[in-house]
Amino acid sequence: MARSGSGSTWLVTSPPHGAWGAVVVASALASPLVAGCPGPEPTLDASMDDAAIDAGGDAGPDTGPPEPAPTDHCTYEPLPSLAHAGGTVTRGPLTAGTAEGFFAGPVSATLGAYTARAENIGGQGFFDARREPVAGAFATSVGVEARPRIRVLALSTGQDTPDTADDETVLLVKTDLGVGYQGLVHEVERALGPEYAGKVLIATSHSHSGWANYHGHAALQVGFSTFRRIVFDRMVQDIVAVSREALDARVPARIGIAYDEDFDPTDQVTHDRRGENDRFAGGPQKDNRLYVIRVDTTAGEPLAMLPMFGMHGTLLDADNVIASTDAPGGLERVLQEELPRDAGSTLPPVVVMHLQGAAGDVSPGGTGSTDCGGRDAEPFCQDFAKAETVGWAARDQIMAAYEAAAESMTDTLSIEAVSRSIERGPNWENFTVRDGALRYAPFDGRRPADRMVWANDAHTELLSPIDEFNAPFGAALCGGEGGVAFFGARGPAQMPNTAYMDESYSSCNQLVPRFMSFFETALDVEIGTTPVCDTTRTTISALRLEGDAPFGRYVISTLPGEPVTLLADRMRMLAQEADPGLTDDRYLVLGYTQDNNGYLLTAEDWLSNGYEPSITFWGPLDGEMIMERAVALLPAVLSDEREDTYDGQTHVAVPSPVEDFVADESMAAGVQPGTIPASSPAYLATQAGPMAVPAQLAEGATVHRLDNVYFTWIGGHPLHGTPRVHVEQDVEGSWVPLTRASGRVVEDGDLVLTWTPDPQEAPRAGDPPRVHYWTVQWQAVPALGQRGFPAISDRLALPTGRYRFVVDVPDGAGLLGTTQYMVSREFVVAPATLGVAVERAGGNATITVTAHAPHGFRLLDLRAGANRPIPLRGVEVTVGLSDGTSRTVTLDADGHATFAAPAGAITVTDAAGNTGSG
């Protein structure tokens, strides 16, 4: 047996990868040593016995056997019967429908999931004076780059007969949100009707730049700010509307699934980010399993592609306050343009839904593309282009799997979806795992830990029962090797006798009132009584898809949190033990779905310190317990009897706080919305920065390719609806929206929309209404996948001519509005000016031809990026010489060409008519 050490290191130094990153650092900063208060660094006297180190001091009088902490303060609601319970799983013809829409927002809510966006902890994203009440104490979002989306795939069997208990419909919903929330699942099911109870799976992208303020989990407010019912209710409405559209769009379909066990071997798309568990994995390990689900019509027209692998959505950091779908969205946008839709097709664009696997310890890759310069000059500049590079890096391998999925497609299927609400804390007995081999000692909050953790010197086997995790109300911010909790080793947050241990216990903070009040004050949130109610229940689901050979049987199990690779590996092992047919290629672990309980790790991994254990609530056995309950759901989903897995269960009710912050800023006084101001105000929040306010777009203005075009108009407060903007081109006298090969209108991802109120501060009672300026920024290059311009190398070839912006009124489902709100002044796109450098030797000239958009944000080249000089690679250009002659030369991969030339200027013109001299 091995006894935990007693080192004196006590600062949590893990980097802030995710939601609570800044809180981990704040935990360290709260210590007297770091704060600069007088007093020596605490040390652990070797002569002190364990009881003397006990953070709780004297264990006190024996009050009898411990009992779990009460949860009387929690409101639980009974779950309805699972839809179609009592029927029989039968095989029938498959129908499938897809739809996609946008979350209505709004801009002005904060973005999740970085605590560093809290003003009093990280202070990131506060670039001007605005402090919108809806955002709480977190940075207000100021605009949209890639709109957070909702994508739905509806799968049904038996739809050619009247609805019976033997039929089945399941809705797989992908949302661009930071994490799942079980309240969303149950409210969407309720709104859709009893026939969908337990049949809705809501997956999330884990973008850290999606809308927040929707999460009712009180403790997760530290990453998502104050829960706002108005934001939550709008999200429910949006998801329901897009789900109903998918249901209405069902057509006879077929489905296939492919598997690649060696995805991205060179780490271009993703890479491992948790070195603390390398000793268990034999070195760095990431989620390298790729699954691709393909759905077509029975006529062979593609409907949906669902690539699944783990990848964090953290390309953009906490200083970003412009909504974005981050790396997962960049992947989806590239892939959906690989599946073009004919202009005359009656089918909607092919839906591409990236699903998360074991992303808990996997970071996104990609290539840095945008140099934003100094933050003071360009505070809103972000490397949005990097997300697209992730998609290009993943494209070929995913498309190969997509093609392989066609080999096993079936149009006849049996479908079974089951869901269950499982109990977690505060009852320690719920956390018994590994067939009883690992369990907790009772939580009494008083008993000193024996500090005996490992059963062997190699630190690979654990002793049980575990008495170090002794937190009756839960604990958080664990993972700091040799550390202490808030308020010191003898403070109320320290678990008894765990200070300065080598394992993650040492920095754990019990969720006691003093600890919670610190965050309530710092973040201006109300966490309330502990245990936190949403840590006492969570929701899991499983889905079976089974057809004739060669399709066979597949099962998808959901995990309500951030699974790391080792835990997913163990889950696959247990699933195969439960059913040998569930081999790795046929058992899909879907993370970040249905709910969020922080990081899900194996017990040994949790004890290895680092950042991930900091975002957990019930210690080293919590992740394995949730995972094992998900595996325990397999018999129900594999049975041909439709069991009621909701029977007798409850879920945590969604809060309904009083919200008096929504002041309707009257649009009846002052400057009217829909007005184009004569000039720009003194300050606009754009990527150009506060020192370079763009001039108002003039009628007939000339804009050169690669340049940015800005259009500013006066609209309403974002709570009235975030506008949607698209670009139109004059084609033979008719205004035609720019459209992608996929059939989608170009309206985001290639534009940046920002909002600036004047004055910036939210009005108080009696104040006059503010003027709300909206600005769209568009770089004059072809959009990703724009019809006729499929390659990155085409981005110097935007057709010249007349263009304009059109602003649409959003509707409640985030779908394209039919009412045209307003139209910009027209402008003319002209060719770009190329950079031409000339070097001479003898009678030869060597030219280097480049294009440069110093203030650009769109990806122009996979190597050089967005706003650095871009060589024209491997293309033919026409060179005009000083003697009046011209010739065609081919540039090499670095934009060079050498040829005989007389003295004098050389003019270069590319195939698109861009020209330059040198």
Side-chain angles (χ1 to χ4, degrees), residues 101-159:
F102 301 104
F103 282 117
V107 170
S108 71
T110 195
L111 305 178
Y114 287 116
T115 302
R117 290 193 179 107
E119 188 166 18
N120 294 329
I121 290 186
Q124 297 292 303
F126 289 86
F127 298 121
D128 54 31
R130 75 185 83 191
R131 304 290 189 275
E132 291 299 304
V134 66
F138 284 59
T140 296
S141 63
V142 306
V144 178
E145 179 255 344
R147 289 180 177 271
R149 284 167 164 74
I150 305 158
R151 295 180 173 92
V152 179
L153 171 64
L155 297 174
S156 300
T157 57
Q159 293 304 305

Side-chain angles (χ1 to χ4, degrees), residues 110-464:
T110 195
L111 305 178
Y114 287 116
T115 302
R117 290 193 179 107
E119 188 166 18
N120 294 329
I121 290 186
Q124 297 292 303
F126 289 86
F127 298 121
D128 54 31
R130 75 185 83 191
R131 304 290 189 275
E132 291 299 304
V134 66
F138 284 59
T140 296
S141 63
V142 306
V144 178
E145 179 255 344
R147 289 180 177 271
R149 284 167 164 74
I150 305 158
R151 295 180 173 92
V152 179
L153 171 64
L155 297 174
S156 300
T157 57
Q159 293 304 305
D160 56 346
T161 60
D163 185 57
T164 69
D166 294 341
D167 298 337
E168 183 73 311
T169 295
V170 63
L171 291 169
L172 185 52
V173 182
K174 162 67 185 300
T175 60
D176 284 317
L177 296 174
V179 296
Y181 172 39
Q182 58 185 329
L184 269 179
V185 176
H186 297 302
E187 288 300 312
V188 167
E189 289 180 353
R190 190 196 316 271
L192 287 170
E195 64 270 33
Y196 298 101
K199 308 298 182 178
V200 179
L201 279 62
I202 301 183
T204 63
S205 69
H206 199 47
S207 168
H208 282 48
S209 292
W211 306 122
N213 296 111
Y214 69 91
H215 217 293
H217 189 312
L220 290 186
Q221 293 178 106
V222 303
F224 293 83
S225 191
T226 304
F227 174 74
R228 300 299 192 197
R229 186 77 197 213
I230 184 175
V231 176
F232 173 85
D233 286 344
R234 287 184 181 182
M235 287 187 174
V236 171
Q237 294 168 10
D238 292 345
I239 294 171
V240 169
V242 180
S243 296
R244 291 198 185 282
E245 184 180 350
L247 290 166
D248 292 342
R250 284 173 289 179
V251 295
R254 59 186 186 180
I255 188 171
I257 301 178
Y259 171 65
D260 185 338
E261 64 181 356
D262 190 24
F263 177 63
D264 186 38
T266 58
D267 290 353
Q268 301 301 302
V269 181
T270 63
H271 59 87
D272 173 43
R273 73 174 203 179
R274 178 165 167 77
E276 290 85 357
N277 62 11
D278 287 355
R279 67 191 182 98
F280 300 115
Q285 179 178 324
K286 67 175 185 178
D287 183 9
N288 59 358
R289 291 176 169 85
L290 168 68
Y291 303 85
V292 175
I293 302 173
R294 174 174 177 168
V295 182
D296 292 354
T297 68
T298 50
E301 290 286 336
L303 288 175
M305 174 170 67
L306 288 70
M308 178 176 170
F309 64 92
M311 175 175 64
H312 250 67
T314 48
L315 289 178
L316 302 172
D317 213 333
D319 59 359
N320 175 52
V321 285
I322 296 175
S324 173
T325 54
D326 207 275
L331 172 81
E332 291 166 337
R333 291 199 302 276
V334 169
L335 293 176
Q336 68 193 19
E337 300 311 318
E338 297 295 311
L339 302 168
R341 187 72 86 199
D342 292 340
S345 175
T346 59
L347 292 171
V350 180
V351 168
V352 177
M353 303 164 55
H354 168 252
L355 301 177
Q356 289 288 5
D361 50 356
V362 182
S363 286
T367 303
S369 300
T370 309
D371 182 1
C372 283
R375 264 290 167 224
D376 292 339
E378 299 178 284
F380 298 106
C381 177
Q382 295 289 336
D383 191 1
F384 294 123
K386 189 175 183 179
E388 185 181 336
T389 72
V390 173
W392 288 107
R395 179 192 61 171
D396 290 349
Q397 202 166 356
I398 291 177
M399 291 306 300
Y402 175 79
E403 294 299 328
E407 300 172 5
S408 62
M409 300 190 86
T410 182
D411 59 6
T412 304
L413 207 64
S414 55
I415 300 175
E416 170 72 319
V418 295
S419 297
R420 179 173 288 160
S421 177
I422 60 172
E423 293 188 16
R424 297 170 65 213
N427 188 344
W428 54 87
E429 293 182 353
N430 290 337
F431 297 97
T432 300
V433 298
R434 301 186 189 179
D435 294 326
L438 281 181
R439 61 184 177 87
Y440 287 136
F443 299 160
D444 65 4
R446 300 165 38 255
R447 177 193 64 253
D450 65 9
R451 301 170 71 90
M452 307 291 284
V453 176
W454 303 100
N456 62 351
D457 291 335
H459 288 193
T460 57
E461 298 177 13
L462 293 172
L463 292 169
S464 183

Side-chain angles (χ1 to χ4, degrees), residues 3-6 44-59 446-453 467-468 489-490 494-501:
R3 182 181 179 86
S4 174
S6 55
L44 182 62
D45 187 339
S47 66
M48 297 170 65
D49 60 23
D50 291 344
I53 305 169
D54 179 5
D58 189 335
R446 300 165 38 255
R447 177 193 64 253
D450 65 9
R451 301 170 71 90
M452 307 291 284
V453 176
D467 68 346
E468 286 77 17
R490 298 179 183 275
Q494 188 80 50
M495 294 188 300
N497 197 25
T498 58
Y500 317 120
M501 291 182 69

